Amino acid sequence: MSEKNTDASNELVGRANRRGGELVRDWYADLTRAAEEGRGAAYVFVMGSLNEILLGFDLPVVFPEVNSLQTAVRRVAHELLDQAEDYGYSPDICGYVKADVAVQLSKGKHPMGRIPKPSIAVLTNACNTYIKWAEIWERMHHVPVVTIDVPGTREGVTRGRADASFDNDLRYVVAQLHELIATCEQITGRRFDIDRLRETLGYVNRMGRAYRRVLELNRSAPAPFNALTDGTVYLGVANALRGTEAGAVYFEELVEEIEHKVARSIGALGDESYRLAFVGVPCYPIFRRFTEMFSEWGGAYVGSSYLWFASGGLNRDFEYDPQRPIESLAEGVLLGVRDAMDSMFHHDRLLEQMIDHYALDGIVYHPIKSCRTVSTGLADGRRALSERRDVPSLFVESDMMDRRVVSEAQMKNRIDAFFEGLAARRKRRAATPSVLEGGA
Amino acid sequence: MRPFPELEDWQAAPLDEVLLQCRDLVEDPELPSVKRFRDEGGKVLGHFQVYFPEELAHAAGMLPVKLRGAPIDPDHAESRFGSYLCSIIKTSLELALNGSLKLDLFVSHPICDAARNLSAIFSRNFEHPSQILYLPQNANSSHTVTYLRGEYARLCADVEAVAGRAITPGALARSIEVFNESRRLLRRLYDLKRSRPWLLAAEDAYSLVALAGLLPRETHNELLAWVLDRLPERDAKREDRVRVVFEGGFCEQPPLDLVRALGRACYVVDDDWLIGLRYLVEDVPATDDPLLALAEAYIERSSYSPVQHDLRKPKEDMLLQRVRGAEAGAVIIAAAKMCEPGLEEQVAYTRALEEAGVPFLVTEFEENMTSFTGVELQLETFVENLLFA
């Protein structure tokens, strides 16, 4: 019996996906309990959730983005979009927002359980739609809305602490965190516990360390995980359980699993032919089929910009200093949210580094109608990158929520043509001796 | 600098001729006034919608130019974007790509998800520096004004580097005074729109504001003062028209022909067209710290738009204030196609207006639309319903 197929190996391989599913289901069960008991939640967003502070007040944390994508994966999003459009929202705005509006109008009814009403909404400016979305809750529920405004990179990619504006920006974020704490104290009637914050920061540090190791391990060939499908499970846990012991343990066990797979050359695909990077947000209305259209050709997603900007900054090589918790948290939020914005606006620079690091054969750009933050600059970034590097790419538009703009047949044609091009390119290269090898 | 080079002695010309020149200049996609400024050795700072502290560019001797798109086809820019985007994003880049607008510095703001990509896109396409000015999205923090002062100071250093000239406190104070004069004149223009809208066609009022983003401000002040002094002498009669507020022109602009069509159907007594040029609603006081004064004015004494988040200014309440302040009988709620903030705000606007019993019409527009039959029909029906209901 090969080492790949021992019982222990079978138990380990796929454990993170099974466990991730359990954890997310448990999390929704907790939210359902909170809703049934009439407890209010903190509504937050993926890019800068501030879970670190909210956990200290034992506020159930709701990620409406995650709720919305779940409705698409579970194929009920179209009903919710219709409901929100009947209410007055345009077909041309973010589908996540509309699905959430419908959930709110249905008193929290959701395929994963029941979503509690908000007691507070906390948002960053990483996406402008966050701001408009929170304004909707403010009008619907009349709850405090706290903005943590995080100034992004002014020119090019951030240089972190070396940026001229860094000190001014940091003081701004610190002040806003203090104001968030004061608001949480007010709505919960509880005192802020700085030691609890220190503990939470420690868990985030452990999660981040493991998360970065996982991303790095996908440089291996074959890639041990699919950045699109497996990656989405990891992101779910990274956000829902951010700053918890369960979250830290999950990612440390994930490292164990991925290292195990790397050591035994167990790939996410049985037959990895092409190593791809994905740029954008997945096509959730046909999530499985979308992924199959690539895997059928041996296309393995080894990395994605989604694993950067939706990870809450875990992808950045940064650790909190629990000895100066507020300032360090502010620094983490500032750099993490800024990094998320850079990975959307300056994706070409980051992808350029990834080409060699991950031995990419191609890049797939997936702009979507629902998200202009991610999608607006993709065509231009692709143009700029193609002028600098000779890497084939595919540009295929659809949506993350709205199946009305997802054309599976058209998409398949484009994807098939892309892989035929990759195959022809590989054949051409194999037939042409390299100059370095002394060929003519 | 003269506003109209081909009309040498423009102050001796009839008012109607000057207004015609204003409209022509606003509609000219070659931006001749900006070109002339640059040809004469000046440097140009292009700033995307909505608000920009133009005083900072002015104090460095640069011409601040408002990028507000154009009614043109984005022949070069189209390939830089995907689908599902508003037009102004594409045509603003097109003006630069087709050579109509040559810049020395481009500044955008994180006003919406599409626009916040513009700085990166410009930086990939042009040699000149491009950057984002991070105007605060949290107007309600006790630290916001201090932060914004610091952000303006950072921007000053970048502007100085491009202009090759220091922004001295004296120069900044003088620029603030020039722009205070501009603000006073623009307020006079809107007072007139509200009190005697029959004296000035909607498209002429629009053009007079738009030129503030294209001409050196001293020139614009001189022009606007001249026009405002002459308008009361006009032989124009009040007509029985519905007084409306137009809401939805904070970023992408309706084509002048659409503004004209609106003006034919009703009196547009207030609006948010090019609101960024009128964003500070009072004079900025002369103080020892002009950057702080500018920052305070933006946070404490400013208008509103769907892209500035301020808990003290719910947009629907602000709209109702605008309607009442203008004694308007109805509202046209418009949004540029694919403008997410504008479209999202429509829901709150319509609900608030319904509750307040203010009639409204909801419509969409695009800056390069060429057929107005549908909108005109919508307008006529709406107005007739109001007049004869």
Side-chain angles (χ1 to χ4, degrees), chain B residues 154-167:
Chain B
R154 177 200 65 76
L155 176 66
C156 279
D158 293 346
V159 171
E160 286 173 340
V162 172
R165 188 202 290 193
I167 300 174

Side-chain angles (χ1 to χ4, degrees), chain A residues 9-20 230 257 261:
Chain A
S9 181
N10 286 341
E11 175 58 28
L12 197 54
V13 174
R15 181 181 65 183
N17 282 359
R18 292 190 297 274
R19 183 74 186 125
D230 303 325
E257 176 185 333
K261 291 173 79 172

Side-chain angles (χ1 to χ4, degrees), chain A residues 18-31 66 70 74 112 232-238 240-241:
Chain A
R18 292 190 297 274
R19 183 74 186 125
E22 284 165 21
L23 287 169
V24 170
R25 277 191 295 278
D26 290 349
W27 177 60
Y28 271 108
D30 287 345
L31 291 180
V66 179
Q70 287 284 349
R74 283 159 211 292
M112 297 291 285
T232 299
V233 176
Y234 308 159
L235 286 175
V237 179
L241 276 77

